[in-house]
């Protein structure tokens, strides 16, 4: 499920809900090798995400430009229930995990389309902080991985011309791009 916003606000919000039988596809994925008991669990996982900010977009026929600055957050949780439990114990989770991420994004997008010659640009700057908490029954709270990461993406495309040959569209383009990514991980515990 997803919802959108109205100008000058930009953003969205959404959530998901899943019932999983495979621990490696859940928030417990990195812990399956160390704790094989997770493979014998039914897992209920849910998540919520949002992105909200301000932005402006101008669409004037052959010219389009937009810019936005926004913050976002993602929160996911998972409960693992041992399949062998009976009675009231089957309603209480044996293991649980919680992952959270927050960050900020700045975007700039634009293009001009003269039909014969086109040019587009896309720039994104992003910074994010995240962590994962996992509790395994009988083993307690696991070491907590934390991270801070940043990313820059720049893409510029010039389309010099497009034409059809035997019904197939062929375009001559010059694509320039730059990408930088840095991540600083740390583990508590």
């Amino acid at each position: 499920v997803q919802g959108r916003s109205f100008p000058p606000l930009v953003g969205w919000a959404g959530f998901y809900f899943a019932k999983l039988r495979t621990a490696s596809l859940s928030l417990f994925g990195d812990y399956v090798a160390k704790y094989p008991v997770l493979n014998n669990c039914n897992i209920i996982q849910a998540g919520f995400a949002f992105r909200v900010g301000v932005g402006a977009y101008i669409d004037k026929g052959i010219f389009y430009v937009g810019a936005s600055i926004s913050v976002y957050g993602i929160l996911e949780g998972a409960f693992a229930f041992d399949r062998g439990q009976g009675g009231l114990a089957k309603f209480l989770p044996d293991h649980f995990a919680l992952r959270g991420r927050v960050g900020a994004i700045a975007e700039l997008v634009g293009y001009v389309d003269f039909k014969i010659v086109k040019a587009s640009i896309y720039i994104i700057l992003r910074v994010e902080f995240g962590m994962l908490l996992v509790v395994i029954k009988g083993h307690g709270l696991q070491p907590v991985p934390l991270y801070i990461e940043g990313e820059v993406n720049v893409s510029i495309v010039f389309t010099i011309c497009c034409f059809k040959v035997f019904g197939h569209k062929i375009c001559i383009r010059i694509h320039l791009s730059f990408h930088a990514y840095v991540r600083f991980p740390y583990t508590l515990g």
Side-chain angles (χ1 to χ4, degrees), residues 39-85:
N39 286 319
N40 192 33
C41 291
N42 290 322
I43 298 168
I44 296 175
Q45 185 167 307
F48 171 76
F50 73 91
R51 178 177 171 183
V52 65
V54 294
Y57 298 91
I58 300 168
D59 189 354
K60 297 292 183 184
I62 67 167
F63 178 72
Y64 176 86
V65 67
S68 69
I69 297 175
S70 56
V71 294
Y72 66 92
I74 303 167
L75 183 63
E76 297 175 285
F79 294 105
F81 301 86
D82 187 356
R83 290 185 191 133
Q85 295 286 348

Side-chain angles (χ1 to χ4, degrees), residues 4 52 64 71-72 88 90 93 102 106 155 171 173:
R4 292 215 174 249
V52 65
Y64 176 86
V71 294
Y72 66 92
L88 289 177
K90 69 180 179 182
V102 293
S155 176
C171 294
R173 293 187 175 122

Side-chain angles (χ1 to χ4, degrees), residues 62-184:
I62 67 167
F63 178 72
Y64 176 86
V65 67
S68 69
I69 297 175
S70 56
V71 294
Y72 66 92
I74 303 167
L75 183 63
E76 297 175 285
F79 294 105
F81 301 86
D82 187 356
R83 290 185 191 133
Q85 295 286 348
L88 289 177
K90 69 180 179 182
F91 296 109
L92 300 173
D94 296 295
H95 322 284
F96 69 88
L98 181 68
R99 177 169 51 198
R101 295 175 273 179
V102 293
I105 298 175
E107 290 179 297
L108 175 66
V109 62
Y111 72 82
V112 62
D113 183 354
F114 292 112
K115 297 296 179 195
I116 298 171
V117 177
K118 302 173 186 177
S120 65
I121 185 169
Y122 181 71
I123 300 172
I124 184 170
L125 305 168
R126 182 183 64 85
V127 64
E128 179 178 291
F129 167 78
M131 65 185 296
L132 174 64
L133 298 172
V134 175
V135 175
I136 305 293
K137 185 176 182 180
H139 300 282
L141 180 65
Q142 299 301 300
V144 179
L146 305 169
Y147 68 87
I148 295 175
E149 66 184 22
E151 183 177 25
V152 176
N153 277 311
V154 178
S155 176
I156 301 170
V157 178
F158 298 102
T159 303
I160 298 169
C161 68
C162 291
F163 52 90
K164 285 190 175 185
V165 175
F166 302 115
H168 296 283
K169 187 175 182 179
I170 298 174
C171 294
I172 299 173
R173 293 187 175 122
I174 299 172
H175 185 109
L176 306 170
S177 64
F178 171 78
H179 178 259
Y181 173 81
V182 63
R183 183 180 176 107
F184 300 103

